[in-house]
Amino acid sequence: MKNSKTIGILTILLFGTGTAFAQSGKTAPAKGVGVEQSDDKKIQVEGVGHKLNYTLNGGTVEVEGGDNTVTIKGSAKKISVSGTGNKVYIDKADRIILEGGGNTVYYKTSGTKSGKPDTSLTGVDNKVVKQ
């Protein structure tokens, strides 16, 4: 009787842990470390060679790695890109930070007074381009 209670408790604990990992929202695609869009309006892409599409309304975007292409319908308060050869396409962006080399963010509009996003470019051949 004591052993069956112990086995039952261990089974519940193990099943509960597996369910928690399954609901985390983080995936491990074959081409990189991870891709995540959490409920707190944050998109995070890490790795190499991702081609992804998202919808965002006022959150933040972080892209790290190389040769990723991320297309976002909607707006972001802040976009941070580090690495090489990344491309981000977005409808509206307020702040863009680029580090590394050969990264480009394409935007259509900005919520700033000037109509251009506030930008910080560190590295070589990084560009912010209005479409």
Side-chain angles (χ1 to χ4, degrees):
M1 180 79 160
K2 192 174 191 180
N3 285 339
S4 63
K5 283 185 181 179
T6 304
I7 291 172
I9 291 171
L10 290 174
T11 302
I12 291 170
L13 289 174
L14 183 60
F15 179 76
T17 304
T19 303
F21 284 121
Q23 295 175 353
S24 70
K26 183 115 177 172
T27 60
K31 290 186 175 182
V33 175
V35 178
E36 180 176 359
Q37 180 169 11
S38 60
D39 291 335
D40 63 349
K41 295 185 177 185
K42 182 176 181 180
I43 296 171
Q44 187 171 359
V45 177
E46 299 174 355
V48 177
H50 297 296
K51 292 187 184 343
L52 304 163
N53 297 302
Y54 293 101
T55 300
L56 188 66
N57 188 16
T60 61
V61 178
E62 293 178 7
V63 178
E64 299 174 356
D67 298 321
N68 296 300
T69 302
V70 180
T71 303
I72 302 164
K73 288 192 173 256
S75 65
K77 292 183 187 249
K78 179 177 148 186
I79 299 173
S80 298
V81 180
S82 63
T84 58
N86 296 297
K87 291 184 175 99
V88 177
Y89 298 87
I90 190 159
D91 294 328
K92 182 178 177 182
D94 294 341
R95 174 125 175 88
I96 299 172
I97 301 167
L98 298 176
E99 299 176 347
N103 298 304
T104 307
V105 174
Y106 298 93
Y107 73 98
K108 293 179 182 175
T109 187
S110 177
T112 63
K113 288 183 181 182
S114 68
K116 297 178 181 179
D118 296 328
T119 60
S120 172
L121 305 175
T122 306
V124 180
D125 293 329
N126 291 317
K127 298 181 274 185
V128 175
V129 179
K130 182 169 183 170
Q131 288 188 312

mmCIF file of all heavy atoms in Angstrom, residues 55-73:
data_model
loop_
_atom_site.group_PDB
_atom_site.id
_atom_site.type_symbol
_atom_site.label_atom_id
_atom_site.label_comp_id
_atom_site.label_asym_id
_atom_site.label_seq_id
_atom_site.Cartn_x
_atom_site.Cartn_y
_atom_site.Cartn_z
ATOM 1 N N THR A 55 2.643 38.639 -35.508
ATOM 2 C CA THR A 55 1.797 39.808 -35.343
ATOM 3 C C THR A 55 2.086 40.356 -33.963
ATOM 4 O O THR A 55 2.135 39.601 -32.988
ATOM 5 C CB THR A 55 0.306 39.424 -35.464
ATOM 6 O OG1 THR A 55 0.093 38.854 -36.755
ATOM 7 C CG2 THR A 55 -0.585 40.640 -35.294
ATOM 8 N N LEU A 56 2.274 41.670 -33.861
ATOM 9 C CA LEU A 56 2.639 42.293 -32.590
ATOM 10 C C LEU A 56 1.965 43.655 -32.491
ATOM 11 O O LEU A 56 1.853 44.364 -33.494
ATOM 12 C CB LEU A 56 4.164 42.442 -32.519
ATOM 13 C CG LEU A 56 4.763 42.889 -31.196
ATOM 14 C CD1 LEU A 56 4.551 41.831 -30.115
ATOM 15 C CD2 LEU A 56 6.247 43.158 -31.361
ATOM 16 N N ASN A 57 1.547 44.027 -31.295
ATOM 17 C CA ASN A 57 0.894 45.315 -31.080
ATOM 18 C C ASN A 57 1.574 46.052 -29.928
ATOM 19 O O ASN A 57 1.132 45.971 -28.788
ATOM 20 C CB ASN A 57 -0.593 45.114 -30.808
ATOM 21 C CG ASN A 57 -1.340 46.425 -30.761
ATOM 22 O OD1 ASN A 57 -0.849 47.453 -31.203
ATOM 23 N ND2 ASN A 57 -2.539 46.389 -30.207
ATOM 24 N N GLY A 58 2.688 46.736 -30.229
ATOM 25 C CA GLY A 58 3.331 47.581 -29.231
ATOM 26 C C GLY A 58 4.342 46.903 -28.334
ATOM 27 O O GLY A 58 4.754 47.476 -27.344
ATOM 28 N N GLY A 59 4.789 45.733 -28.639
ATOM 29 C CA GLY A 59 5.733 45.020 -27.785
ATOM 30 C C GLY A 59 7.178 45.252 -28.189
ATOM 31 O O GLY A 59 7.525 46.259 -28.800
ATOM 32 N N THR A 60 8.030 44.285 -27.838
ATOM 33 C CA THR A 60 9.456 44.359 -28.160
ATOM 34 C C THR A 60 9.865 43.143 -28.982
ATOM 35 O O THR A 60 9.261 42.074 -28.885
ATOM 36 C CB THR A 60 10.333 44.421 -26.892
ATOM 37 O OG1 THR A 60 10.131 43.235 -26.122
ATOM 38 C CG2 THR A 60 10.001 45.647 -26.062
ATOM 39 N N VAL A 61 10.929 43.338 -29.765
ATOM 40 C CA VAL A 61 11.459 42.283 -30.628
ATOM 41 C C VAL A 61 12.956 42.182 -30.370
ATOM 42 O O VAL A 61 13.650 43.200 -30.358
ATOM 43 C CB VAL A 61 11.207 42.597 -32.116
ATOM 44 C CG1 VAL A 61 11.803 41.519 -33.006
ATOM 45 C CG2 VAL A 61 9.730 42.784 -32.392
ATOM 46 N N GLU A 62 13.448 40.956 -30.167
ATOM 47 C CA GLU A 62 14.878 40.701 -30.020
ATOM 48 C C GLU A 62 15.275 39.613 -31.001
ATOM 49 O O GLU A 62 14.707 38.522 -30.977
ATOM 50 C CB GLU A 62 15.222 40.251 -28.605
ATOM 51 C CG GLU A 62 15.017 41.308 -27.552
ATOM 52 C CD GLU A 62 15.331 40.815 -26.151
ATOM 53 O OE1 GLU A 62 15.840 39.682 -26.006
ATOM 54 O OE2 GLU A 62 15.049 41.545 -25.209
ATOM 55 N N VAL A 63 16.233 39.922 -31.869
ATOM 56 C CA VAL A 63 16.740 38.944 -32.832
ATOM 57 C C VAL A 63 18.234 38.823 -32.608
ATOM 58 O O VAL A 63 18.953 39.822 -32.638
ATOM 59 C CB VAL A 63 16.443 39.373 -34.290
ATOM 60 C CG1 VAL A 63 17.012 38.360 -35.269
ATOM 61 C CG2 VAL A 63 14.948 39.554 -34.503
ATOM 62 N N GLU A 64 18.695 37.591 -32.369
ATOM 63 C CA GLU A 64 20.115 37.324 -32.151
ATOM 64 C C GLU A 64 20.526 36.160 -33.028
ATOM 65 O O GLU A 64 19.812 35.171 -33.114
ATOM 66 C CB GLU A 64 20.375 36.963 -30.685
ATOM 67 C CG GLU A 64 20.018 38.055 -29.708
ATOM 68 C CD GLU A 64 20.165 37.602 -28.266
ATOM 69 O OE1 GLU A 64 20.477 36.416 -28.030
ATOM 70 O OE2 GLU A 64 19.953 38.432 -27.374
ATOM 71 N N GLY A 65 21.684 36.285 -33.689
ATOM 72 C CA GLY A 65 22.174 35.195 -34.516
ATOM 73 C C GLY A 65 22.515 35.681 -35.895
ATOM 74 O O GLY A 65 22.937 36.826 -36.082
ATOM 75 N N GLY A 66 22.287 34.827 -36.891
ATOM 76 C CA GLY A 66 22.660 35.180 -38.248
ATOM 77 C C GLY A 66 21.673 34.724 -39.285
ATOM 78 O O GLY A 66 21.041 33.669 -39.147
ATOM 79 N N ASP A 67 21.537 35.541 -40.327
ATOM 80 C CA ASP A 67 20.731 35.218 -41.500
ATOM 81 C C ASP A 67 19.285 34.865 -41.177
ATOM 82 O O ASP A 67 18.682 34.007 -41.820
ATOM 83 C CB ASP A 67 21.388 34.083 -42.300
ATOM 84 C CG ASP A 67 22.759 34.488 -42.807
ATOM 85 O OD1 ASP A 67 22.919 35.648 -43.217
ATOM 86 O OD2 ASP A 67 23.682 33.646 -42.770
ATOM 87 N N ASN A 68 18.712 35.524 -40.180
ATOM 88 C CA ASN A 68 17.304 35.353 -39.849
ATOM 89 C C ASN A 68 16.491 36.393 -40.607
ATOM 90 O O ASN A 68 16.925 37.531 -40.783
ATOM 91 C CB ASN A 68 17.068 35.529 -38.352
ATOM 92 C CG ASN A 68 17.767 34.471 -37.546
ATOM 93 O OD1 ASN A 68 17.498 33.285 -37.703
ATOM 94 N ND2 ASN A 68 18.683 34.884 -36.680
ATOM 95 N N THR A 69 15.290 36.019 -41.055
ATOM 96 C CA THR A 69 14.354 36.948 -41.677
ATOM 97 C C THR A 69 13.067 36.903 -40.861
ATOM 98 O O THR A 69 12.428 35.854 -40.776
ATOM 99 C CB THR A 69 14.068 36.570 -43.142
ATOM 100 O OG1 THR A 69 15.312 36.566 -43.856
ATOM 101 C CG2 THR A 69 13.116 37.556 -43.783
ATOM 102 N N VAL A 70 12.724 38.032 -40.257
ATOM 103 C CA VAL A 70 11.556 38.106 -39.394
ATOM 104 C C VAL A 70 10.619 39.173 -39.951
ATOM 105 O O VAL A 70 11.025 40.327 -40.138
ATOM 106 C CB VAL A 70 11.954 38.458 -37.940
ATOM 107 C CG1 VAL A 70 10.734 38.533 -37.047
ATOM 108 C CG2 VAL A 70 12.951 37.436 -37.407
ATOM 109 N N THR A 71 9.378 38.799 -40.226
ATOM 110 C CA THR A 71 8.363 39.717 -40.733
ATOM 111 C C THR A 71 7.302 39.896 -39.667
ATOM 112 O O THR A 71 6.766 38.913 -39.156
ATOM 113 C CB THR A 71 7.728 39.175 -42.033
ATOM 114 O OG1 THR A 71 8.776 38.951 -42.983
ATOM 115 C CG2 THR A 71 6.720 40.154 -42.595
ATOM 116 N N ILE A 72 7.016 41.168 -39.322
ATOM 117 C CA ILE A 72 6.078 41.461 -38.240
ATOM 118 C C ILE A 72 4.990 42.390 -38.748
ATOM 119 O O ILE A 72 5.274 43.488 -39.233
ATOM 120 C CB ILE A 72 6.805 42.111 -37.048
ATOM 121 C CG1 ILE A 72 7.908 41.176 -36.558
ATOM 122 C CG2 ILE A 72 5.821 42.445 -35.939
ATOM 123 C CD1 ILE A 72 8.920 41.828 -35.671
ATOM 124 N N LYS A 73 3.748 41.933 -38.654
ATOM 125 C CA LYS A 73 2.603 42.797 -38.934
ATOM 126 C C LYS A 73 2.262 43.500 -37.634
ATOM 127 O O LYS A 73 2.120 42.866 -36.603
ATOM 128 C CB LYS A 73 1.414 41.972 -39.414
ATOM 129 C CG LYS A 73 1.571 41.431 -40.800
ATOM 130 C CD LYS A 73 0.253 40.885 -41.291
ATOM 131 C CE LYS A 73 0.378 40.509 -42.729
ATOM 132 N NZ LYS A 73 -0.249 41.449 -43.615
#
